[in-house]
């Protein structure tokens, strides 16, 4: 039988009525002749509640027990979804990660998927099961302990199952009806995209778009899993939502496909840094060891053997970055004048595979920002994206100006 993977996020299974609504969508696909693997998240707010219980019980918690507790939310949803489908006369069974078994690394709370053997689920499909309801976000380590994949990990679970079982498609049901050119809450002219390339979606996800988890898009691109983002609160057709697919499936599109933003950014500058071979490694090595995710990096021209080094990082990692840099100085590994943190910045980015073959995107972007009186603090580029750091108070204005100047309200 052809197979689909359908994933329902927390808002889509927030209560029994929404679980029933999701189950009706699953039944519709079964009636069309599909076997279905359903991946479910915990009910909306449940994971936060469980995390709160763990932190209140043990501030310096054992990560293995943390995973045992926080993974239980998905188990409840999976059982309720299977029961709901059974009440609709759909043969369904719930599966926890260890029952599949979804094999992962032993990095508790941030495990990575290593293997999904098909034998157990395939055997049940052969016996007449039509729907396997799998608890997302969780797996089992080689030591036999429950692991979790990190927040948003149910998206990754869904894509991994689609790859392992050769699914025709992986449908991600959420509280939005697709991927938009930018956040409709900021720009009311934002337009839903019918299709978007894997690379573009990956950039948008990593730059702040919340529709899909970054790791899930990476996995989909690697294994060529066609993803569809849909609303669980609307009637869906074969052409609903946004299809995330290979670039070759997209006939015509705008040079820029979307504008992304991230409010939670900080700019950090080390002044009067020694300008010598190995200084970048001496700075960014300790940051990496401390788990600081550095994004944009700029080094000024050297003068009298000294230079300034600027980088951006998430605002919640500023304290960790400061500690790592100061410890490196105390150990005599680096020398600098001062470390200045600017926590009042935002990152705004334009993304599009059309940028590979068209010139002038950067100049158009910079001119649009200049016309709005927005000063650029840092610039970073790749083949299909341009990102800038600006004062946070101008973020929404920048998003709107860029959406307008690249004509994103109009289809190609």
């Amino acid at each position: 039988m052809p197979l689909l993977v359908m994933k329902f996020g927390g808002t889509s299974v927030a209560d029994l009525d929404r679980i029933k609504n999701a189950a009706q969508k699953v039944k519709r696909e079964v009636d069309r002749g599909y076997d279905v693997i359903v991946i479910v998240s915990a009910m909306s707010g449940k994971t936060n509640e469980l995390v709160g219980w763990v932190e209140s019980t043990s501030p310096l918690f054992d990560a293995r027990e943390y995973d045992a507790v926080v993974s239980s939310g998905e188990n409840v949803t999976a059982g309720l979804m299977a029961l709901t489908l059974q009440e609709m006369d759909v043969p369904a069974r719930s599966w926890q990660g260890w029952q599949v078994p979804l094999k992962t690394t032993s990095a508790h709370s941030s495990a990575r998927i290593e293997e999904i053997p098909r034998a157990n689920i395939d055997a049940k499909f052969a016996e007449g099961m039509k729907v396997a309801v799998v608890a997302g976000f969780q797996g089992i380590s080689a030591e036999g302990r429950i692991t979790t994949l990190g927040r948003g990990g149910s998206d990754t679970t869904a894509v991994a199952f689609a790859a392992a079982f050769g699914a025709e498609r992986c449908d991600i049901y959420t509280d939005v009806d697709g991927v938009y050119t930018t956040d409709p809450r900021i720009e009311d002219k934002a337009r839903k995209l019918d299709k978007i390339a894997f690379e573009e979606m990956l950039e948008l996800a990593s730059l702040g778009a919340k529709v899909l988890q970054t790791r899930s898009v990476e996995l989909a691109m690697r294994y060529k899993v066609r993803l569809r983002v849909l609303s669980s609160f609307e009637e869906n057709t074969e052409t609903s939502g946004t299809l995330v697919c290979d670039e070759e499936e997209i006939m015509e599109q705008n040079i820029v496909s979307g504008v992304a933003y991230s409010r939670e950014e900080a700019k950090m500058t080390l002044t009067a840094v020694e300008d010598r071979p190995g200084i970048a490694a001496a700075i960014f090595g300790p940051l990496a060891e401390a788990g600081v995710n550095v994004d944009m990096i700029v080094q000024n021209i050297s003068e009298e053997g000294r230079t300034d080094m600027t980088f951006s990082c998430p605002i919640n990692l500023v304290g960790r970055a400061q500690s790592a840099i100061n410890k490196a100085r105390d150990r005599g590994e680096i020398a600098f004048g001062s470390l200045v943190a600017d926590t009042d910045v935002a990152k705004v980015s334009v993304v599009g595979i059309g940028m590979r073959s068209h010139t002038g995107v950067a100049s158009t972007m910079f001119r649009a920002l200049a016309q709005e009186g927005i000063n650029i603090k840092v610039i970073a580029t790749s083949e299909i994206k341009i990102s800038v750091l600006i004062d946070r108070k101008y973020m929404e204005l920048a998003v709107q100006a860029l959406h307008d100047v690249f004509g994103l309200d109009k289809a190609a």
Side-chain angles (χ1 to χ4, degrees):
M1 300 291 289
L3 186 136
L4 282 182
V5 172
M6 303 172 72
K7 182 262 177 177
F8 294 94
T11 54
S12 303
V13 291
D15 54 38
L16 295 180
D17 285 340
R18 290 191 178 179
I19 290 175
K20 185 175 182 180
N21 175 65
Q24 288 169 341
K25 294 182 183 298
V26 176
K27 183 179 186 302
R28 192 172 302 131
E29 299 298 349
V30 171
D31 291 342
R32 290 174 178 167
Y34 286 102
D35 286 340
V36 182
I37 296 176
V38 175
I39 309 297
V40 292
S41 298
M43 291 173 162
S44 184
K46 179 56 67 175
T47 301
N48 287 339
E49 181 182 34
L50 294 169
V51 170
W53 289 352
V54 171
E55 292 175 343
S56 296
T57 303
S58 176
L60 300 174
F61 53 77
D62 182 329
R64 293 165 296 186
E65 301 308 330
Y66 171 94
D67 279 359
V69 174
V70 301
S71 63
S72 64
E74 281 73 15
N75 297 343
V76 172
T77 312
L80 291 172
M81 175 68 81
L83 287 170
T84 304
L85 286 163
Q86 289 172 11
E87 287 297 306
M88 296 176 177
D89 295 323
V90 177
R93 276 277 169 248
S94 66
W95 297 74
Q96 296 177 19
W98 64 270
Q99 293 173 301
V100 175
L102 191 153
K103 300 179 181 181
T104 74
T105 62
S106 301
H108 287 277
S109 79
S110 59
R112 301 188 77 85
I113 298 170
E114 292 187 327
E115 184 186 3
I116 303 178
R118 295 180 49 160
N120 289 345
I121 288 180
D122 276 345
K124 289 299 180 182
F125 277 135
E127 292 173 10
M129 178 185 72
K130 298 302 296 179
V131 180
V133 185
V134 179
F137 173 61
Q138 61 178 251
I140 186 167
S141 69
E143 296 78 22
R145 299 292 311 188
I146 294 170
T147 56
T148 63
L149 308 180
R151 298 307 290 266
S154 292
D155 283 354
T156 302
T157 305
V159 175
F161 269 88
F165 284 79
E168 187 174 299
R169 194 178 63 245
C170 178
D171 288 346
I172 306 289
Y173 285 85
T174 181
D175 54 359
V176 296
D177 61 345
V179 179
Y180 279 73
T181 49
T182 196
D183 189 340
R185 295 171 297 182
I186 288 181
E187 173 54 78
D188 57 11
K189 291 183 288 186
R191 178 176 54 85
K192 184 175 73 69
L193 298 166
D194 294 328
K195 294 181 179 180
I196 187 169
F198 288 125
E199 289 177 86
E200 293 172 319
M201 190 67 246
L202 183 58
E203 288 282 11
L204 289 172
S206 66
L207 293 167
K210 306 296 186 187
V211 180
L212 290 170
Q213 190 208 37
T214 304
R215 276 170 62 192
S216 71
V217 184
E218 289 175 348
L219 207 58
M221 184 164 66
R222 185 184 314 159
Y223 292 101
K224 305 299 183 187
V225 173
R226 299 170 85 246
L227 288 176
R228 193 167 59 139
V229 180
L230 300 151
S231 170
S232 57
F233 308 119
E234 296 182 358
E235 286 300 315
N236 307 119
T237 67
E238 289 296 321
T239 57
S240 297
T242 300
L243 184 67
V244 187
C245 56
D246 261 332
E247 182 180 339
E248 288 74 20
E249 289 193 50
I250 304 173
M251 296 293 292
E252 293 288 338
Q253 66 179 81
N254 294 331
I255 298 171
V256 170
S257 293
V259 181
Y261 66 88
S262 174
R263 297 179 193 272
E264 307 303 317
E265 297 289 326
K267 178 172 74 76
M268 306 193 71
T269 301
L270 282 79
T271 64
V273 179
E274 302 172 278
D275 191 12
R276 59 172 173 79
I279 189 62
I283 293 170
F284 295 108
L287 289 172
E289 291 169 7
V292 177
N293 182 24
V294 173
D295 182 18
M296 311 161 91
I297 301 172
V298 175
Q299 183 175 358
N300 289 344
I301 296 172
S302 176
E303 185 175 343
E304 298 180 357
R306 295 281 167 172
T307 185
D308 294 343
M309 187 81 76
T310 297
F311 62 90
S312 68
C313 70
I315 197 169
N316 64 330
L317 297 180
V318 167
R320 190 180 296 186
Q322 290 171 324
S323 176
I325 292 295
N326 288 327
K327 286 178 181 177
R329 177 166 62 178
D330 293 343
R331 294 192 298 265
E333 296 171 3
I334 55 175
F336 57 90
S338 61
L339 175 56
V340 181
D342 181 355
T343 58
D344 196 27
V345 298
K347 178 169 63 180
V348 177
S349 311
V350 297
V351 174
I353 54 177
M355 292 165 61
R356 287 186 184 134
S357 54
H358 290 78
T359 60
V361 176
S363 63
T364 300
M365 179 179 185
F366 300 154
R367 192 180 308 114
L369 295 175
Q371 288 172 350
E372 299 293 344
I374 300 171
N375 185 46
I376 298 171
K377 296 174 178 286
V378 182
I379 302 168
T381 65
S382 77
E383 192 178 26
I384 65 168
K385 75 108 190 277
I386 303 170
S387 297
V388 295
L389 277 188
I390 59 174
D391 287 329
R392 188 174 296 133
K393 64 183 178 181
Y394 294 121
M395 186 195 77
E396 293 191 7
L397 177 61
V399 169
Q400 293 163 354
L402 295 174
H403 197 272
D404 282 345
V405 77
F406 288 111
L408 297 184
D409 57 323
K410 305 176 184 69

